[in-house]
Amino acid sequence: YLFVHKKRGKEALESEASLLKDFTKWAVHDCWASYFDFERCLHALCGAHLLRELTNLTENGSKWAAQMHRLILSLYLASQKGTVPLAERQTWVLQFEHICQSAHREEPPPKQGKRGKPKNSKGRNLLNRLLNHQDEWLAFAFVEGVPFSNNQAERDIRCLKTKQKVATNFQTFKGAQHYARVQSFTSTLRKHSMNVFQNL
């Protein structure tokens, strides 16, 4: 489902056109803070985004990030790519928490600048997110029906991003709304293996 709004933040997500404000199932996303304001739905965090961040830290010499990367990949494979919930949750959680303790020792403490709050390293920022949202990061491995990543949503908006790059904009707001509605409909048809032209 795609919709158009003049804003791209919380105002858009709470607008009449948005489905998220009424959504009550699992929402898989990239840990953007505004999503957590919606308390009617259950939250899971994208494993693909996490692996990319861990890879970046590993390439910069982080030992704990390499360990966490291996753990998440092991969970992914053990759960058959996030399709079969695992029973031995506590064993995995203990490994997760052990790596987070290592990260706490490895990452430098926040640095106080001339003004404002102390600044964390990228690694410590990620560690804080891992600690604050542990259940959301691991949901794919232990809850049936929760996918490992939000890649399906990323693929669904790729055509729109391509159109933006080529055409830069729409001539009218109404035209953008029409495009979003047609694209939503055709994308849904393809997911159900239904003939696009016949159903249009």
Side-chain angles (χ1 to χ4, degrees):
Y1 173 70
L2 302 173
F3 72 96
V4 183
H5 197 274
K6 293 177 181 178
K7 303 283 186 179
R8 58 179 297 176
K10 188 176 179 182
E11 185 179 331
L13 296 175
E14 292 178 338
S15 69
E16 186 178 341
S18 173
L19 298 181
L20 189 56
K21 64 186 185 303
D22 304 311
F23 190 60
T24 58
K25 301 298 182 180
W26 284 91
V28 184
H29 54 82
D30 60 1
C31 206
W32 190 35
S34 292
Y35 292 136
F36 289 105
D37 291 335
F38 296 90
E39 298 178 353
R40 294 186 64 188
C41 65
L42 299 164
H43 296 271
L45 296 172
C46 175
H49 280 81
L50 175 58
L51 290 178
R52 282 198 292 270
E53 286 193 77
L54 291 170
T55 298
N56 185 49
L57 289 172
T58 301
E59 289 172 351
N60 286 288
S62 173
K63 294 178 181 178
W64 77 264
Q67 293 173 336
M68 185 64 78
H69 193 282
R70 286 194 294 271
L71 176 66
I72 298 299
L73 277 183
S74 297
L75 268 171
Y76 178 67
L77 295 174
S79 63
Q80 296 182 33
K81 299 182 178 180
T83 59
V84 178
L86 300 175
E88 62 278 14
R89 177 187 174 92
Q90 193 57 31
T91 303
W92 293 98
V93 168
L94 286 173
Q95 292 182 60
F96 182 94
E97 292 175 347
H98 177 72
I99 295 171
C100 287
Q101 290 170 6
S102 298
H104 185 67
R105 291 190 296 269
E106 186 179 334
E107 288 298 328
K111 291 183 179 179
Q112 180 64 58
K114 293 180 180 179
R115 291 183 291 180
K117 295 189 297 184
K119 189 174 182 180
N120 288 322
S121 64
K122 288 184 179 180
R124 186 162 290 280
N125 280 331
L126 178 57
L127 171 61
N128 290 339
R129 277 183 278 133
L130 287 168
L131 292 170
N132 292 336
H133 302 292
Q134 176 179 303
D135 291 340
E136 290 88 344
W137 287 115
L138 301 179
F140 77 91
F142 304 110
V143 181
E144 187 174 2
V146 177
F148 174 71
S149 73
N150 68 347
N151 283 349
Q152 180 62 62
E154 302 274 357
R155 286 193 291 269
D156 284 335
I157 64 169
R158 187 172 296 152
C159 59
L160 179 59
K161 300 305 291 183
T162 301
K163 185 171 181 64
Q164 277 185 322
K165 288 179 180 178
V166 174
T168 67
N169 64 0
F170 289 89
Q171 294 298 313
T172 65
F173 189 76
K174 193 77 172 176
Q177 290 177 314
H178 288 166
Y179 177 87
R181 186 175 183 187
V182 171
Q183 186 60 43
S184 298
F185 184 66
T186 56
S187 179
T188 302
L189 290 172
R190 290 190 185 102
K191 289 180 180 67
H192 291 279
S193 302
M194 298 172 71
N195 185 285
V196 173
F197 290 105
Q198 185 179 21
N199 284 279
L200 281 171

